[in-house]
Amino acid sequence: MTTATLSQPLSYSDRLERLKQTKLRQTRQKRDRNGYMDRDDHGTAPLPDGFSWSPIANHSNGSFYRSKGWAANFKSLMEVHPVYVDANDALAGRWMVYLSSYRRCGWFPDADFSHLKPEQELYGILSGIGAQQHFGPDYRIGLALGWGGLLAKVRRCHQDHGLDKSEFYEAEQDVIVGVQDWIRRTVAAINEAESVETDPTLKANLHEMAAVNEWLVDGPPRTLREACQWLAWYCMVSRIYNGDGAGGQLDELLRPYYERDIAAGRIDDEEAIFTLACLLLNDPHYHQIGGPGADGRDMTSLISFLIVEAGRRLGIPCNLTIRVHDGLDPDLFNLGVRTLLEDKKGWPRFSGEKGLTEGFMRNGYSEALARERIAVGCHWMAIPGREYTVNDCVKINAAKVFEVAFKEMMRESETVVPSVSRLWSLFAEHLRRAVLCTAKGLDFHLAHQKDNAPELLINLLCDGPIERGLDASAGGVDMYNLCVDGSALATVADSFAALEQRIERERKLSWAEVARHLSEDYRGEGGERVRLMLRSGERYGQGTSLGDDCAIRISELFTGLIRANLTPEGRLMIPGWFSWSSTIPMGRVVGATPNGRHAGAPISHGANPDPGFRKDAAPTAMAHAIAAIQPGYGNTAPMQLELDPGLARDRGAVDALGCLIKTHFDEGGTLINVNILDADQLRAAHKDPDAFPDLVVRVTGFTAYFASLSPEFRQLVVDRLIEA
Amino acid sequence: MNNKVGTITEIQRFCLHDGPGIRTTVFLKGCNMRCVWCHNPETLRPTFDILVQPTKCIRCGACVEECTHGARKIDEHTGDIAYRTDYCVSCGACAESCYSSAIVRVGRNLSVSEVLLEVAEDRAYYDRSGGGVTISGGEPTCQLEFTVALLRACRGHGLHAALETNLYAPWDRVEIALREADLVMFDIKLMSQVRHREATGVSNTRILHNATRLSQLGTPLIVRTPVVPGYNDTPLEIGKIARYISRFPSLLYYELLPFHPLGTSKYESLGMPYLMGGVHEPSPDSMRALADSAREAGIAVKIAGLIDGQVQASGDDNDNGNAFAAPFLLGQT
Ligand code: SF4
Ligand code: SF4
């Protein structure tokens, strides 16, 4: 409720400012209530006090499974999920709870994978078993049909299939009915708010908001505002259902509505920007803008610019990606680079057409299809609605694999003389086993995921699941290209390089010495000196160094192992290098490593060299190194770049950063995340986060309020930036 | 030719201030002037320097074992490493064995081929940005043969090669290097001979003479002045320099570089006295005023590090020499 007594009518920027302040307040509230979170903000609003809901169990373990269990619980939750109306907002609704978080037990206990667990643990594998979402819906399907149209489609397909798929179809119907119920209740709340609103601008806004939503209960969107509201509803309910945060090609999705509204004189650009800002505020989904359409022509249009402008006016965490290709509108590219430098909020991100498209085509797909494979998540590439990928859920901790190999070599050292080449072959063998174990895990996941946690929301916006009556995880879509990422590239490359340099080339250390210092975590006598010696060698990222060679070899080995093997059931895996924000937990399980890293310390970040890799921290050196280790099959090995704001003040900065981005992509790079942060400000914010409530940092694929991150994670961001 | 060896202080990639585009700057060691405000005291001496940062020492004692000149001892009372600079011959052996960076040797001997290998890493970035390699110092002409060989090698490999020099050398000696460069950047710090000697240790007669001869070669030129409070930060002084160089037909632009206070630590770690304590950075406004007075001479002027310190050419508004107007960037920057 807003009681504005201003004489001037409220402007869009007044309203946006109020929305931003509300958002900051809610972020603080959430942190105070729920603690820190090392992940996306997701746009949730805090739950009202006293909210309670209990899930309905359909398994003896007290949890719920299968389509029936998920649908019943989702529908029941939607019946009580609070409604949210802010008179300043163009869009109604905020989401507040994850249905998944109400599950007592995770994985479906009737499907047992204990046979895989020993190796998963041994090699630090994040198996992806039970991973939900992490592929992309095709929003065009939903925008064309609306909730009513989707419901009719489900019913029609149900009829076509007769009774044998009833559980699936009934579940899909329940899900839609649950969503419609929530929208209806929201409309009632909007009407109520309108009746007591005194500010004429806001009253009119609420009036229109009610009409928009009343229509959207059934109908497909007709205007830009309706389209944004529809997207917001879908994003919210899909988040509630299982956390799905995948975006789409936002400019192309909204362009027809925008152009129609403008042509009909219904809106002007200011209103369009405001509506778009409200959509971005609703949830920082991973949308792409610009880039080539299936025919290769650039998709940039006026609304691409308005989307960037909307994000800039908001100034909150945002995850837009600009796809860079030769035909990209230079003005959009330029605007993106300027936004990064001037706003310093860690967005937009840039993805590289050449590496991604050529890479994906190596899997045997057409160029047109490869172009449709867009950035829809933190490092994910997926063809919306047609490809199941489990992006970012499956990781092999190469540092753990290295540790296993190193220990084995030292155990056998009585009989076999240790050497880098012996270590290498052991590493290769263990990595092979890790890949195989991962592949088996993926088959297992796909065999049982529909029983564990079906994709009832994303199914609706896919080509196939509803038509076939099959979950997207179980044959509903056409393509299964499973993402398998390696982690700890720099940790392992620098370890190999340090051993080769200090033991074999310079003969400054012996294998036994190194093994002893590792087992003592460099804390025994002389340990610190040895640690520093190992750390100061030829590291990955320096350029033409031993570490660079090792990183390339490791990436080639990893890529080769993944490409040489389909999963046992014949599915394709696509390699990448990415650790997301898991560098801390993945490091915790690995002892000291020969790159001078202490036991339990975080592993290296994604495909990046470790901080301090070069004295001048030259971004060109980093870009070159990361381009050289790209697996090259259409998934990403992102470059995370930390830049000093001194650069932003520089006259040539836009050109230089633009050149850096384009050249990295020319050389085969796939995705670039940039942070521009003042080291002093960051240190101050680390000490007193509340003094900098709106400081936004790009953690990895996602941006977040710095104050919301855990102290441990903040430290990592600080180290990364300051050493860079 | 390419195994000619030079003493290098540092090779720095992604430099945006040493000429057009993205560049790699090769800092050669050794300088024949001694400007009181020098930012890079570690480049002054032609031989290796030993930089010490005792706070980083982990007391491993390795340096004491390495030093055969008795310059390093463990202090019996404190356990610290005592350093007798008078015994030290700057051989660098201690630094080689010090992995904590408590002792760092400044200076490496590298052949032209080795330097070329490293600078060529960023070729793609130079190509796209209109950048290249800048040979700087210290004073590169102090290692004249190496400088000439490196310039030739860069150009021979299709890399744009700029030379940054103080022009303080006999013309007959430096001409060959100047002719090998695609671009020459040099400083005029003061017009007054006396004050120039006070501030840099040498007279400027030879520099101004060389500048005039250089301008007749037709090589593109960028002239720079480090603006140092108390030395040359007046419109009068800057105006004089600007008028002097306004006669150079191949001048791309004149660039004013604001003095940055360094703090004493860099000098301290080299065991040198820092004479600029208490001198502050000129304000952006005063830099703008100086740039305006320089523009009165009818030349294009830039202020380094200021986003609005663009070239404002008199006459046309072509991008005078900012070769970094890359073709892929349209719109406003
Ligand atoms: S080698 Fe370095 S760390 Fe070791 S005692 Fe000497 S100065 Fe200290
Ligand atoms: S540089 Fe050489 S002489 Fe000087 S302290 Fe080190 S080892 Fe001794």
Side-chain angles (χ1 to χ4, degrees):
Chain A
M1 226 70 21
T2 315
T3 46
T5 48
L6 302 170
S7 47
Q8 288 275 330
L10 274 173
S11 67
Y12 289 128
S13 64
D14 296 334
R15 287 163 62 188
L16 214 50
E17 191 47 43
R18 290 177 176 189
L19 291 166
K20 267 159 69 173
Q21 292 310 323
T22 306
K23 164 103 179 161
L24 281 177
R25 209 178 51 242
Q26 290 172 343
T27 304
R28 254 194 314 270
Q29 240 175 307
K30 279 189 288 182
R31 196 201 57 198
D32 293 346
R33 196 180 296 177
N34 311 328
Y36 299 112
M37 43 178 207
D38 294 339
R39 53 169 173 75
D40 309 50
D41 168 80
H42 291 183
T44 48
L47 268 172
D49 289 332
F51 173 84
S52 94
W53 175 79
S54 305
I56 315 149
N58 69 348
H59 193 280
S60 55
N61 71 359
S63 204
F64 55 90
Y65 299 95
R66 301 181 191 275
S67 303
K68 202 170 182 170
W70 277 86
N73 277 285
F74 178 75
K75 189 159 167 263
S76 153
L77 178 59
M78 293 322 292
E79 281 162 8
V80 296
H81 190 293
V83 293
Y84 183 99
V85 179
D86 185 327
N88 294 289
D89 205 322
L91 309 178
R94 287 282 186 279
W95 72 282
M96 300 176 195
V97 285
Y98 288 98
L99 176 56
S100 311
S101 69
Y102 284 95
R103 286 220 294 177
R104 292 256 178 75
C105 302
W107 177 252
F108 184 51
D110 300 0
D112 173 46
F113 63 98
S114 54
H115 59 294
L116 296 174
K117 277 188 177 151
E119 279 202 333
Q120 289 173 348
E121 249 164 59
L122 182 66
Y123 299 128
I125 296 169
L126 302 183
S127 70
I129 294 175
Q132 296 172 274
Q133 38 101 8
H134 292 88
F135 61 109
D138 184 349
Y139 288 99
R140 289 173 302 188
I141 295 173
L143 289 170
L145 296 177
W147 295 109
L150 288 170
L151 188 59
K153 178 179 166 185
V154 171
R155 289 187 174 140
R156 203 174 51 243
C157 292
H158 188 186
Q159 266 173 7
D160 294 349
H161 279 277
L163 285 179
D164 57 331
K165 300 259 166 83
S166 282
E167 181 183 339
F168 175 79
Y169 285 114
E170 279 162 14
E172 293 289 3
Q173 286 184 51
D174 281 352
V175 161
I176 298 173
V177 170
V179 174
Q180 289 177 315
D181 177 71
W182 194 36
I183 302 175
R184 268 194 211 98
R185 286 194 297 120
T186 303
V187 172
I190 303 169
N191 286 330
E192 209 181 300
E194 189 199 338
S195 70
V196 294
E197 181 59 63
T198 51
D199 179 276
T201 308
L202 300 183
K203 202 174 177 69
N205 178 51
L206 288 166
H207 189 77
E208 195 179 334
M209 191 192 281
V212 162
N213 284 291
E214 221 167 322
W215 170 260
L216 289 181
V217 171
D218 263 314
R222 300 159 299 186
T223 63
L224 181 69
R225 185 166 179 175
E226 287 178 358
C228 288
Q229 179 72 73
W230 197 92
L231 289 179
W233 282 126
Y234 179 85
C235 291
M236 286 186 281
V237 295
S238 200
R239 283 279 204 209
I240 292 172
Y241 180 77
N242 64 7
D244 164 37
Q249 183 75 36
L250 191 60
D251 46 6
E252 272 305 274
L253 289 171
L254 295 176
R255 186 176 52 83
Y257 303 95
Y258 165 72
E259 287 176 354
R260 270 204 301 272
D261 283 3
I262 290 283
R266 265 194 295 272
I267 59 168
D268 57 14
D269 279 355
E270 279 302 305
E271 184 174 347
I273 290 169
F274 178 71
T275 308
L276 291 165
C278 291
L279 177 63
L280 297 177
L281 175 75
N282 190 272
D283 192 322
H285 268 49
Y286 288 87
H287 295 294
Q288 175 172 298
I289 55 173
D295 59 0
R297 262 183 305 190
D298 187 38
M299 292 187 283
T300 305
S301 64
L302 261 178
I303 198 168
S304 317
F305 292 86
L306 302 188
I307 291 167
V308 176
E309 182 58 29
R312 297 189 77 170
R313 291 195 193 172
L314 263 179
I316 66 165
C318 189
N319 292 311
L320 294 174
T321 302
I322 296 179
R323 174 108 157 197
V324 179
H325 65 128
D326 286 344
L328 178 66
D329 186 322
D331 288 339
L332 183 68
F333 180 68
N334 199 14
L335 176 65
V337 178
R338 278 200 291 129
T339 300
L340 253 180
L341 285 166
E342 289 167 13
D343 298 3
K344 305 181 188 65
K345 300 277 185 196
W347 72 274
R349 314 173 322 138
F350 295 88
S351 66
E353 168 64 10
K354 184 171 173 276
L356 291 170
T357 297
E358 286 176 8
F360 193 60
M361 287 168 68
R362 281 191 200 107
N363 300 301
Y365 293 110
S366 73
E367 188 171 20
L369 209 52
R371 286 183 177 132
E372 284 183 55
R373 199 166 194 264
I374 61 171
V376 296
C378 63
H379 88 312
W380 336 342
M381 297 292 150
I383 303 169
R386 297 163 72 187
E387 188 189 18
Y388 184 86
T389 48
V390 281
N391 282 311
D392 198 19
C393 298
V394 184
K395 302 198 188 302
I396 297 176
N397 187 344
K400 194 87 180 104
V401 176
F402 176 90
E403 185 177 59
V404 171
F406 188 88
K407 284 187 176 158
E408 181 171 332
M409 180 180 75
M410 293 318 291
R411 267 200 310 275
E412 61 171 32
S413 64
E414 311 255 297
T415 48
V416 186
V417 185
S419 67
V420 169
S421 77
R422 177 68 192 147
L423 181 60
W424 180 261
S425 56
L426 287 170
F427 176 70
E429 171 55 20
H430 285 289
L431 193 58
R432 188 189 65 77
R433 289 188 213 168
V435 168
L436 187 63
C437 171
T438 305
K440 286 181 193 159
L442 284 164
D443 281 341
F444 181 87
H445 166 77
L446 289 167
H448 301 286
Q449 177 65 0
K450 64 172 192 321
D451 295 328
N452 174 55
E455 298 291 347
L456 296 181
L457 254 303
I458 306 187
N459 283 344
L460 293 170
L461 302 200
C462 281
D463 259 347
I466 303 302
E467 290 82 349
R468 297 171 201 171
L470 294 174
D471 190 68
S473 70
V477 293
D478 287 342
M479 286 169 273
Y480 289 80
N481 298 314
L482 307 169
C483 169
V484 179
D485 290 323
S487 297
L489 178 63
T491 306
V492 179
D494 290 349
S495 293
F496 268 113
L499 294 171
E500 182 167 345
Q501 182 180 351
R502 302 305 190 192
I503 297 180
E504 297 197 341
R505 288 199 185 170
E506 298 172 354
R507 304 197 178 281
K508 285 189 173 151
L509 295 169
S510 70
W511 287 102
E513 261 178 292
V514 172
R516 174 169 65 82
H517 287 299
L518 291 180
S519 70
E520 296 171 353
D521 193 20
Y522 300 109
R523 297 187 201 274
E525 200 188 330
E528 182 61 5
R529 178 160 196 275
V530 167
R531 190 182 78 82
L532 292 170
M533 183 196 291
L534 291 167
R535 213 173 70 129
S536 57
E538 293 193 25
R539 289 165 58 176
Y540 166 52
Q542 277 169 6
T544 63
S545 73
L546 254 179
D548 286 298
D549 291 348
C550 291
I552 292 170
R553 265 186 87 186
I554 293 164
S555 190
E556 280 173 1
L557 172 71
F558 177 67
T559 303
L561 287 170
I562 289 188
R563 300 306 299 180
N565 300 288
L566 298 173
T567 68
E569 290 176 21
R571 297 184 181 96
L572 197 68
M573 296 180 285
I574 302 188
W577 286 100
F578 194 56
S579 49
W580 195 62
S581 65
S582 309
T583 52
I584 295 175
M586 289 181 113
R588 223 171 267 147
V589 297
V590 184
T593 38
N595 63 332
R597 177 189 146 280
H598 276 300
I603 54 161
S604 58
H605 182 89
N608 268 43
D610 260 337
F613 66 101
R614 259 181 81 92
K615 202 171 153 205
D616 60 9
T620 48
M622 185 195 276
H624 196 63
I626 295 177
I629 60 82
Q630 294 293 322
Y633 285 89
N635 276 6
T636 65
M639 168 159 83
Q640 168 85 31
L641 203 57
E642 321 285 343
L643 297 175
D644 184 89
L647 176 74
R649 283 193 291 275
D650 199 275
R651 190 173 48 225
V654 174
D655 298 6
L657 185 54
C659 172
L660 190 71
I661 292 168
K662 290 203 166 187
T663 311
H664 180 60
F665 291 153
D666 282 350
E667 294 189 328
T670 42
L671 185 66
I672 300 179
N673 298 318
V674 186
N675 251 326
I676 297 170
L677 290 169
D678 186 307
D680 291 333
Q681 189 192 33
L682 202 62
R683 277 194 205 98
H686 188 26
K687 266 199 202 132
D688 182 11
D690 289 334
F692 301 85
D694 57 357
L695 177 63
V696 173
V697 296
R698 176 156 293 284
V699 177
T700 157
F702 63 86
T703 50
Y705 286 118
F706 189 66
S708 301
L709 299 171
S710 67
E712 194 180 12
F713 213 88
R714 288 204 305 264
Q715 183 66 51
L716 211 63
V717 174
V718 170
D719 290 349
R720 225 162 63 192
L721 184 88
I722 290 171
E723 282 198 55
Chain B
M1 191 67 164
N2 278 2
N3 45 29
K4 195 144 249 107
V5 171
T7 305
I8 312 289
T9 309
E10 193 87 67
I11 298 178
Q12 205 169 324
R13 288 160 72 173
F14 199 67
C15 293
L16 306 179
H17 297 152
D18 296 325
I22 293 176
R23 309 191 74 82
T24 297
T25 304
V26 182
F27 294 95
L28 302 196
K29 213 162 159 1
C31 187
N32 49 8
M33 285 170 44
R34 287 293 180 272
C35 308
V36 289
W37 54 76
C38 182
H39 262 167
N40 300 313
E42 73 280 14
T43 67
L44 291 176
R45 288 191 279 247
T47 50
F48 296 156
D49 271 300
I50 303 298
L51 244 146
V52 290
Q53 287 172 282
T55 50
K56 292 190 174 170
C57 176
I58 58 162
R59 300 177 174 193
C60 67
C63 55
V64 179
E65 269 170 47
E66 283 309 314
C67 182
T68 51
H69 299 269
R72 304 240 169 226
K73 287 254 151 54
I74 297 179
D75 186 310
E76 282 170 24
H77 304 295
T78 61
D80 290 346
I81 303 297
Y83 177 29
R84 290 283 305 265
T85 44
D86 47 340
Y87 290 6
C88 175
V89 299
S90 298
C91 69
C94 54
E96 292 288 301
S97 68
C98 179
Y99 297 105
S100 70
S101 306
I103 311 174
V104 173
R105 188 188 79 189
V106 182
R108 312 185 261 169
N109 288 334
L110 293 177
S111 69
V112 169
S113 324
E114 286 169 316
V115 175
L116 199 62
L117 192 70
E118 179 154 359
V119 300
E121 283 268 292
D122 281 353
R123 175 189 292 276
Y125 296 88
Y126 313 147
D127 288 350
R128 199 181 254 289
S129 67
V133 178
T134 298
I135 303 173
S136 177
E139 170 48 36
T141 61
C142 291
Q143 300 186 50
L144 187 68
E145 284 179 31
F146 178 77
T147 297
V148 170
L150 184 55
L151 284 168
R152 274 195 192 136
C154 286
R155 297 181 68 191
H157 284 79
L159 304 176
H160 179 273
L163 178 66
E164 192 178 10
T165 167
N166 62 20
L167 287 183
Y168 183 70
W171 175 257
D172 293 345
R173 226 177 102 70
V174 295
E175 180 185 358
I176 176 169
L178 299 173
R179 283 186 185 275
E180 285 296 338
D182 291 311
L183 165 74
V184 176
M185 303 158 75
F186 67 91
D187 282 8
I188 296 184
K189 302 172 206 285
L190 281 157
M191 288 306 283
S192 145
Q193 219 194 94
V194 178
R195 302 219 54 213
H196 196 277
R197 189 186 290 280
E198 278 169 19
T200 70
V202 305
S203 147
N204 62 2
T205 319
R206 183 186 267 167
I207 296 171
L208 297 177
H209 168 80
N210 284 346
T212 306
R213 292 199 65 172
L214 167 62
S215 74
Q216 289 154 6
L217 295 182
T219 313
L221 300 178
I222 297 171
V223 180
R224 319 210 282 187
T225 298
V227 175
V228 187
Y231 288 88
N232 59 5
D233 61 335
T234 61
L236 186 71
E237 187 64 38
I238 299 297
K240 266 197 252 171
I241 300 173
R243 276 193 299 284
Y244 187 82
I245 62 175
S246 66
R247 302 175 285 135
F248 299 167
S250 59
L251 178 74
L252 298 178
Y253 59 84
Y254 178 40
E255 186 170 33
L256 300 176
L257 314 164
F259 166 80
H260 288 292
L262 255 191
T264 52
S265 62
K266 202 168 181 184
Y267 275 81
E268 234 165 46
S269 60
L270 284 160
M272 294 178 177
Y274 183 57
L275 304 175
M276 298 299 286
V279 180
H280 296 292
E281 182 172 347
S283 71
D285 281 345
S286 67
M287 290 301 292
R288 281 188 203 102
L290 293 177
D292 287 343
S293 62
R295 284 188 189 108
E296 283 170 18
I299 54 173
V301 181
K302 285 189 191 189
I303 305 168
L306 266 193
I307 203 134
D308 59 349
Q310 299 95 332
V311 171
Q312 287 179 7
S314 58
D316 62 39
D317 51 11
N318 276 344
D319 186 65
N320 267 15
N322 184 4
F324 197 19
F328 60 88
L329 287 161
L330 301 177
Q332 294 285 305
T333 51

